[in-house]
Amino acid sequence: MNIFTLNIKEIKLFYLKMHIDSANWKILQLLQRNARMSVSAIGREVGITSPAVAERIRKMEDAGVLMGYKAEISHIESGHQLKAIITLRAFMGRLKPFLEKVHDFSEVLNCYRITGNENIFMEVVLFDQFHLEEFIDKLITYGETKTHIVLSTVIENAPIRTRSVDRKR
């Protein structure tokens, strides 16, 4: 990338992606803890004005650092009694069809293409063991599966932090 060919907006976005200062990190940490926190409450916590917080948030959204906001839903309270991690080792010629089809599986919360013996790592929620069996029956047309039932959650949705923040808490 030649910096001299970038327009002003691209330069600002490039700089923001390369440099997230301590105030931006504080804003990001607060939003990760509670995405519904008001701009004025964030400003009080960070020690800057509400308009400055709103501008920083907008710039981080524009730069793709802050990608969105979402609600967390309990899989148990929504009727999904099982949470599982399923890995898939795709059969020859079946990975691409799987990657196209996986978007249609409502059970899948997260799906990652990974390195190693398996090609796919999925986090899924299911109503019960019968639903799990039906889901695995769909998957085995694409490859070999390994299923791991989640017994409890140790860490979930941990915030992304700057290197200077101690991760041991």
Side-chain angles (χ1 to χ4, degrees):
M1 174 184 337
N2 183 345
I3 197 153
F4 298 109
T5 62
L6 298 175
N7 66 35
I8 297 300
K9 182 178 179 184
E10 289 171 325
I11 291 171
K12 287 179 182 177
L13 293 178
F14 178 76
Y15 179 75
L16 183 59
K17 284 184 180 184
M18 298 303 292
H19 178 71
I20 302 174
D21 67 14
S22 62
N24 282 351
W25 273 115
K26 288 178 186 174
I27 292 168
L28 290 171
Q29 289 170 334
L30 291 168
L31 288 173
Q32 286 178 97
R33 200 175 318 140
N34 178 3
R36 294 184 66 177
M37 190 173 196
S38 71
V39 170
S40 58
I42 293 170
R44 284 191 298 275
E45 290 276 330
V46 176
I48 59 178
T49 66
S50 297
V53 169
E55 179 67 12
R56 284 172 175 264
I57 289 172
R58 186 193 59 74
K59 285 180 179 179
M60 288 189 285
E61 289 170 341
D62 289 348
V65 173
L66 187 52
M67 297 174 14
Y69 307 87
K70 62 183 176 183
E72 291 181 42
I73 299 171
S74 165
H75 71 278
I76 297 291
E77 297 302 322
S78 67
H80 298 85
Q81 299 303 308
L82 292 177
K83 185 180 238 183
I85 304 300
I86 299 177
T87 60
L88 176 80
R89 182 177 183 180
F91 297 139
M92 186 69 72
R94 297 295 291 157
L95 181 59
K96 187 174 179 184
F98 172 81
L99 293 172
E100 293 168 359
K101 181 67 174 168
V102 70
H103 299 280
D104 297 337
F105 296 140
S106 62
E107 297 87 352
V108 177
L109 299 177
N110 294 296
C111 180
Y112 306 96
R113 188 170 175 186
I114 59 171
T115 61
N117 290 331
E118 286 86 17
N119 307 95
I120 299 295
F121 180 99
M122 291 178 284
E123 181 182 0
V124 301
V125 291
L126 306 131
F127 294 114
D128 52 32
Q129 70 272 19
F130 303 111
H131 187 187
L132 173 60
E133 183 178 17
E134 290 172 6
F135 186 63
I136 290 172
D137 287 346
K138 292 178 193 176
L139 294 178
I140 60 175
T141 63
Y142 298 98
E144 297 175 24
T145 64
K146 289 183 185 173
T147 302
H148 310 271
I149 302 296
V150 174
L151 299 176
S152 64
T153 300
V154 179
I155 297 175
E156 187 170 62
N157 299 320
I160 296 174
R161 302 181 204 141
T162 179
R163 288 183 184 205
S164 64
V165 175
D166 183 12
R167 296 197 59 83
K168 291 185 179 179
R169 281 200 169 182

